[in-house]
Amino acid sequence: MVPSTFSNQPIEILVVDDTPANLRLLSYVLSKQGYTVRVASGGQAALEAIDRALPDLILLDILMPEIDGFEVCQTLKANPRTRDVPVIFLSALHEAFDKVKAFQVGGADYVSKPFEIPELVARIEYQMRLRVLQTSLQAQNERLQQEIEARRRIEEELSLLLMVTRTIEHAATVRDALNATIRAIGHSIGARLAEVWQPRELSQQLVRVGQFLGTDRSEIVEFAERRDAIAFKIGEGLPGRAWQSRCPETSNEASSSPWGFAVPVLQRDRLLAVFVFFKSDRDPDLDPTSVPPRERDVELVESVVLQTTAALGQKQMESLLRETEERYRRLVENAAEGIYQSTPDGRYLSVNPALARLYGYDSPEEITATIDDIAIQLYVDPRRRREFIELLDREGSVSDFESMVYRRNRTILWISENARAVRDSNGVLQYYEGIVSDITTRKLTQEALKFQKEQTEQLLSNILPAPVAERLQAGQITIADRFDDASILFADLVGFTQFSARKTPTEVVEILNSIFSQFDRLCERYCVEKIKTIGDAYMVAGGVPVPHDDSADAIADLALEMQSTLAQFCQETGEHLQLRVGIHIGPVVAGAIGLSKFAYDLWGDTVNTASRMESNGVPGRIQVSKAVRDRLHERFKFEWRGEIPVKGKGTMTTYFLLARKCPQVSSDLSNPNPHRCL
């Protein structure tokens, strides 16, 4: 079989020797082995050949005129393009000094002349396997870095979205909400200047209605002041171009103005506003391997704007409703909302033009002549009308009574009714009168906001424990708690690093995910909190963030189940993995930290001791401290290990957890878990 590299192309070897006979011999031997061979008769010729096309491996003689092999190798290792190409020295020099120097200048191997062909071929194959492995690990690392960056960006977006959503909820008006939004976003992305532009009524122009100046105000204040009196038409400037395209727009690179970008805020294809942000040209904290900062900022702001449009729309709808109600009070005779009077038996006595239009009729006369039974002909559910009448008769008035009704064309809309029962001086009912509002848009908006909030809460609960996420959503800024009796477990897959070296990246991730997913389900079953995973290590806490009395029992049962689960996994898959587990109990401090990336973690001597129990443990066994053994010895079986040296703790007496003395049987057959989730 022809040898090949990781890219499935035949391996190309460059042979460098100033002796033609050696070149012919090596070319013949290596070609017979299936390798593609190029030759160079000297050091300079070798460097030129490598510059034209990079080989997979180089066989390099040492003693050559002009440039010797050591100098050639040094030149290659100093060049980032060629430093990873393995070099095997072929030389008649047998002194240890020459061999040491060959490795010092970057050689991968050293073969003395005369050499054995099988040995040379074996060394070449070994070097190529090393290179394939190196390339595979590098690719895996790059993918993991990309995943980390993607998760960081998602968490950054989630954090900003939560901040903006809360800001909008507390704003009194749409303009206040817009200004608060650009302040939150501008502060988050480090903008020097942020602006809100809105369409001017009865004109095709955008005017600035708010701005935010960042902490770096050098040379930006004068620029901001020059924009005070500017109004942009559609297609003009950054705001006008975003208005026209309905998409994010960036400033011209050749412009003398600061670099910026604009993001339109659309509500059902109607422009609500345009956000504009100006930034510095350079980001001193930029990681050159990450997404370019300009593109990252535009994507982040666009995503947040898309997800908060519903909240801004609701705020705008609330403002419009308040303005409308005020206008209705001033102009009752020309009311835009439906006003009616109806008889107790379900006919209209009178309606205004607004109500006729609302229900799809051409005139008030038409609707009064057509409708004989309001409950049957208008209400989607006639029982809802009867509930409305019963409430009116009992209470005398009804506010914000919501129902679904049919329009004339049988389409459905949501209405809200404010009505009262009109009685004569003797208390005899004469008629009902009320105002009807179309709340279809508000209902749809509320449903959209409800769904959005549920999605946001779900994302947050996937990152933090549920009680901690609830506190964070309630507005608590600093979350830090002390737990006097917590149970901490650390587990590590022994030999997983060597195991992963034999697997493809996909296989490694799939196997690790399969094992840890089973551990996750066990944590849910025993009502303990998975804190984090670090590589192939797994950390769990009991009694955190909600204390409960049997957390130590739950952690012990969990540890036994984890060992059993891994053993079953190995039996089913044929893999050979062992789990080393350590447990300790005691006080800890727990809290949520981070700004753009939240993390819930634990600190304290208890955590450190539990970690030492694991790291100083035995593969396939569960090592616990004396405190754990003293707490659980009546319900669990232990084996005395003895005293062992523990870093930072001195000598400690430890035990191995073996099994539960008498397995618990839950009295609740519907819940096999003996531990209560509080």
Side-chain angles (χ1 to χ4, degrees), residues 199 253 343 573 582 602:
E253 294 290 346
T343 64
T573 61
L602 310 178

Side-chain angles (χ1 to χ4, degrees), residues 427-488:
V428 177
L429 178 64
Q430 302 296 304
Y431 58 87
Y432 304 112
E433 65 179 12
I435 300 174
V436 177
S437 302
D438 181 0
I439 60 168
T440 305
T441 301
R442 192 181 80 192
K443 275 291 186 180
L444 295 176
T445 302
Q446 288 174 345
E447 289 300 316
L449 283 176
K450 179 182 177 183
F451 174 77
Q452 182 186 54
K453 184 178 180 182
E454 290 173 351
Q455 293 295 101
T456 301
E457 292 174 350
Q458 181 62 39
L459 284 173
L460 195 59
S461 66
N462 288 338
I463 299 173
L464 302 173
V468 176
E470 291 172 0
R471 291 165 64 185
L472 195 62
Q473 288 177 317
Q476 187 171 344
I477 299 175
T478 301
I479 295 179
D481 302 295
R482 176 180 175 85
F483 298 92
D484 293 326
D485 187 21
S487 305
I488 309 300

Side-chain angles (χ1 to χ4, degrees), residues 502-573:
R502 303 191 304 271
K503 301 291 185 178
T504 66
T506 300
E507 291 174 328
V508 170
V509 173
E510 288 179 347
I511 290 173
L512 196 61
N513 181 62
S514 176
I515 295 172
F516 282 0
S517 294
Q518 294 185 64
F519 290 174
D520 290 347
R521 286 188 284 271
L522 290 176
C523 288
E524 293 180 3
R525 175 183 175 188
Y526 288 104
C527 301
V528 294
E529 192 69 43
K530 170 189 172 183
I531 302 301
K532 59 185 173 182
T533 60
I534 306 174
D536 54 6
Y538 195 89
M539 178 181 177
V540 182
V544 175
V546 179
H548 53 93
D549 297 336
D550 60 350
S551 66
D553 294 68
I555 285 291
D557 285 329
L558 172 68
L560 294 169
E561 283 276 9
M562 290 171 70
Q563 292 284 18
S564 175
T565 297
L566 182 64
Q568 182 176 356
F569 175 85
C570 293
Q571 181 178 0
E572 293 174 353
T573 61

Side-chain angles (χ1 to χ4, degrees), residues 164-296:
V164 170
T165 302
R166 291 181 188 141
T167 300
I168 294 173
E169 288 177 354
H170 291 90
T173 65
V174 174
R175 182 164 295 186
D176 290 343
L178 293 173
N179 278 283
T181 299
I182 65 163
R183 283 197 298 272
I185 296 176
H187 179 75
S188 177
I189 67 174
R192 299 176 66 193
L193 173 64
E195 302 174 324
V196 180
W197 296 79
Q198 280 193 294
R200 177 182 289 168
E201 292 184 9
L202 305 178
S203 70
Q204 292 294 311
Q205 287 184 322
L206 288 173
V207 293
R208 191 171 70 182
V209 297
Q211 72 171 15
F212 161 77
L213 287 171
T215 55
D216 180 11
R217 301 187 179 187
S218 57
E219 301 178 359
I220 200 69
V221 174
E222 183 180 350
F223 171 76
E225 291 175 349
R226 291 199 306 268
R227 296 168 65 84
D228 282 342
I230 297 177
F232 290 106
K233 295 181 180 180
I234 187 167
E236 290 182 349
L238 264 180
R241 288 195 283 119
W243 183 10
Q244 183 179 51
S245 67
R246 296 293 202 268
C247 297
E249 296 286 343
T250 59
S251 62
N252 191 339
E253 294 290 346
S255 172
S256 59
S257 303
W259 180 84
F261 64 93
V263 177
V265 183
L266 302 173
Q267 186 181 19
R268 295 187 178 180
D269 203 37
R270 185 177 65 84
L271 184 73
L272 179 62
V274 176
F275 291 158
V276 180
F277 300 92
F278 292 99
K279 293 197 63 180
S280 301
D281 291 336
R282 295 179 179 85
D283 186 348
D285 299 324
L286 174 62
D287 178 359
T289 63
S290 66
V291 179
R294 295 181 175 181
E295 179 182 338
R296 180 184 63 201

